[in-house]
Amino acid sequence: MHSAAARRLNEFLAQVRAKFIVCPAWLQQLDFASTLDLSRLRNDFIAQHDRNASQLTLWNFPIAIPAWKIAPALAFGNCVVFKPADLVPGSAWALAEIISRAGFPPGAFNLVMGRGSVVGQTFIDHVGVDAISFTGSADTGSRVIAAAAPRRAKLQLEMGGKNPLVVLDDADLAVAADCALQGSFHSTGQRCTASSRLIVHKRILAAFVDALRERMESLVVPFGGRKASSYGPREQGRHAAEFFTTVKTAYTAP
């Protein structure tokens, strides 16, 4: 499973456990009010049948994102065509094999591998695909919109972000430093919800930097498959190059 090597083993196992413990209970009864604690949240659910749904997912959450897209689509009676990122064929195949044991009719769930620019584009353009769920970069998402909107296909897009973590001067420094560390380094920072910027009130900046530095020095960086690891490798060489460029820019900034 290619992407498992690009994240810590503990993260990957937790992702799998969460989806395969929660999803079956959720699918067995679509009574959301009794299966979810709604005391602090407002949840509105509309059961709607779209016939054929295409699920285009990325590599950094190779089990979680496909699972939370595929499960509700199948539960509400749609046929699903799952096209994973071409970097994670092993994870996608394992998930498809598990789904195949559920006894769905032939054609209800389908797995198609290939480059997004070829296979993914075919799904976006095909008139037989009624709904498209895409997770990936903002640039690719914009192309999905441009291609699917003229034929009125239903779209659900989850695209990249540039997320600031704001720390005010009344914050608990220990909690703030822990959040910054997790937000920046969890999953090696390779997720759209990563804390890419820290905005800290000047009154507590020095103390916050000291607290964060202390935590960063405790990070363990061996092979990501070891349970003791707190930081895995970058997924691709070009991602590593971008990372070092960013670090160099920050280091040389006045």
Side-chain angles (χ1 to χ4, degrees), residues 58-235:
L58 75 176
W59 55 265
N60 61 345
F61 286 87
I63 291 293
I65 289 179
W68 72 51
K69 288 176 182 286
I70 293 167
L74 290 173
F76 288 118
N78 301 291
C79 293
V80 170
V81 180
F82 171 36
K83 206 298 286 182
D86 56 295
L87 291 173
V88 287
S91 299
W93 180 264
L95 177 60
E97 196 279 326
I98 292 169
I99 294 174
S100 72
R101 304 175 201 165
F104 289 110
F109 174 78
N110 310 272
L111 172 66
V112 179
M113 305 280 198
R115 297 287 297 177
S117 58
V118 179
V119 177
Q121 191 65 48
T122 300
F123 293 149
I124 295 166
D125 295 335
H126 201 288
V127 295
V129 177
D130 305 290
I132 300 166
S133 179
F134 168 80
T135 300
S137 70
D139 288 343
T140 303
S142 296
R143 293 197 293 272
V144 172
I145 295 172
R151 65 180 186 85
R152 305 296 189 269
K154 293 182 179 180
L155 290 175
Q156 182 271 324
L157 304 175
E158 179 190 9
M159 298 183 285
K162 199 71 175 174
N163 310 300
L165 175 65
V166 180
V167 184
L168 302 181
D169 59 350
D170 62 346
D172 182 316
L173 274 180
V175 172
D178 287 340
C179 289
L181 188 78
Q182 287 295 317
S184 300
F185 292 96
H186 189 73
S187 300
T188 319
Q190 300 176 114
R191 55 179 180 168
C192 61
T193 54
S195 300
S196 357
R197 294 174 289 156
L198 304 179
I199 301 174
V200 184
H201 196 286
K202 61 183 179 181
R203 291 180 186 172
I204 61 168
L205 179 60
F208 175 82
V209 169
D210 289 342
L212 183 58
R213 180 187 295 114
E214 180 182 350
R215 285 160 174 76
M216 291 175 63
E217 289 174 348
S218 69
L219 291 174
V220 180
V221 196
F223 173 63
R226 298 176 184 172
K227 290 187 177 181
S229 176
S230 53
Y231 190 90
R234 305 297 287 184
E235 173 65 23

Side-chain angles (χ1 to χ4, degrees), residues 224-248:
R226 298 176 184 172
K227 290 187 177 181
S229 176
S230 53
Y231 190 90
R234 305 297 287 184
E235 173 65 23
Q236 298 183 72
R238 63 183 181 88
H239 292 162
E242 293 171 1
F243 172 79
F244 285 117
T245 298
T246 302
V247 171
K248 182 178 180 180

